Amino acid sequence: MSTLTYATRDSATMLRRNLRHMQRYPSLTLMLVGIPVVFLLLFVYVLGGTMGAGLGVASGGRDAYVEYLVPGILVLTVAGAAQGTAIAVAMDMTEGIIDRFRTMGISRAAVLTGHVVGSMLQTLACMAVVLVVALVIGFRPSASPLDWLALVGVLAAITFALTWLTVALGMSAKSVETASNSPMPLLLLPFFGSGFVPTDTMPSGVRWFAENQPFTPFTESVRGLLTGADLGNGVVLTIVWSAAIALLGYVWAMRSYEKVAERV
């Protein structure tokens, strides 16, 4: 059996372990999907009328704001789910299970790969639930089948990047509590982008930051694919940002894992 075959088999085992953990402790998954749904309902039914009137479109109002808001909520769902990944990794680190895995001689990449793939499946499931709720309250995407296919690819790329980053954050955290707080900036960045209001309504300094941070092209790519809005260079920037974040997270996570391995 080749090294690649061993690594694939061990990664599949770690993936099953993480999926069973999610099944046994569904409260975390419910929280990860519940928060964006609450934000969606809050912004649409409490703030939607006022926010929609400020979009500057002819129709305005709550219906227009639903169309604008849903892409931002989907990106917020990815950022929120990343917090769960950091917590799960930190629990493995602090409970000593990583040290035990190391003594079993399994593939070094398998543990982290299991976390990443499991978290991606969990995040994609959360986004599907959020999208169903959005459809129920009036969101009507105009995406073609090709757009939907591209949308899945874009969301998978964003999820992959943020998941690797939060795996690294979880491995570097000294406690589960620290790991639960460290991804907090990821939850705030969608608010400092085009997720909830257009960037041209912001003060100049905030606008510059909003237009040059990764969550704005993330949101604009999702919005363009779902609603037919101008994509511009959003997809290209999304791919570039996702690749850079994924590489940073992967290198950081693997180095942290190697440090754990050295002490066993």
Side-chain angles (χ1 to χ4, degrees):
M1 190 176 290
S2 67
T3 303
L4 178 61
T5 304
Y6 274 120
T8 303
R9 185 200 60 184
D10 292 342
S11 297
T13 301
M14 290 297 110
L15 173 60
R16 286 196 298 273
R17 169 182 176 268
N18 284 288
L19 293 178
R20 287 177 180 174
H21 195 269
M22 294 174 193
Q23 185 179 16
R24 290 178 181 176
Y25 303 98
S27 58
L28 180 59
T29 302
L30 290 175
M31 182 193 72
L32 297 179
V33 71
I35 290 175
V37 168
V38 169
F39 270 108
L40 176 63
L41 299 178
L42 172 66
F43 274 85
V44 170
Y45 289 110
V46 178
L47 306 173
T50 302
M51 302 286 268
L55 290 177
V57 297
S59 55
R62 184 170 289 110
D63 293 340
Y65 193 60
V66 170
E67 302 297 321
Y68 185 87
L69 176 67
V70 170
I73 292 292
L74 288 174
V75 174
L76 180 69
T77 304
V78 181
Q83 186 181 27
T85 306
I87 293 173
V89 172
M91 289 177 66
D92 276 356
M93 296 297 295
T94 56
E95 293 175 355
I97 192 67
I98 297 291
D99 292 344
R100 186 173 181 183
F101 286 149
R102 290 289 306 134
T103 63
M104 297 170 69
I106 64 175
S107 167
R108 291 191 173 189
V111 176
L112 301 186
T113 302
H115 273 295
V116 170
V117 178
S119 296
M120 287 189 67
L121 294 175
Q122 184 184 44
T123 305
L124 292 173
C126 289
M127 283 191 287
V129 173
V130 171
L131 192 54
V132 168
V133 174
L135 293 171
V136 170
I137 65 174
F139 178 61
R140 296 294 179 264
S142 59
S144 66
L146 188 59
D147 290 334
W148 281 106
L149 188 62
L151 178 68
V152 172
V154 165
L155 290 174
I158 298 169
T159 304
F160 181 76
L162 296 184
T163 300
W164 267 115
L165 179 60
T166 49
V167 165
L169 290 171
M171 295 205 66
S172 301
K174 301 298 183 184
S175 66
V176 176
E177 289 77 14
T178 303
S180 68
N181 294 325
S182 54
M184 192 60 68
L186 298 179
L187 285 172
L188 296 177
L189 283 175
F191 293 93
F192 289 94
S194 63
F196 293 82
V197 294
T199 57
D200 57 12
T201 64
M202 301 176 181
S204 57
V206 179
R207 178 180 178 180
W208 180 89
F209 176 78
E211 292 179 346
N212 291 281
Q213 57 112 335
F215 279 80
T216 292
F218 290 173
T219 304
E220 291 305 310
S221 297
V222 175
R223 181 171 290 128
L225 292 169
L226 276 175
T227 67
D230 183 21
L231 278 169
N233 58 356
V235 174
V236 174
L237 289 175
T238 295
I239 293 172
V240 171
W241 272 113
S242 296
I245 294 171
L247 180 61
L248 169 66
Y250 174 80
V251 171
W252 185 4
M254 293 306 296
R255 286 186 176 179
S256 298
Y257 190 77
E258 291 299 326
K259 290 181 180 177
V260 175
E262 290 172 358
R263 72 175 187 234
V264 178

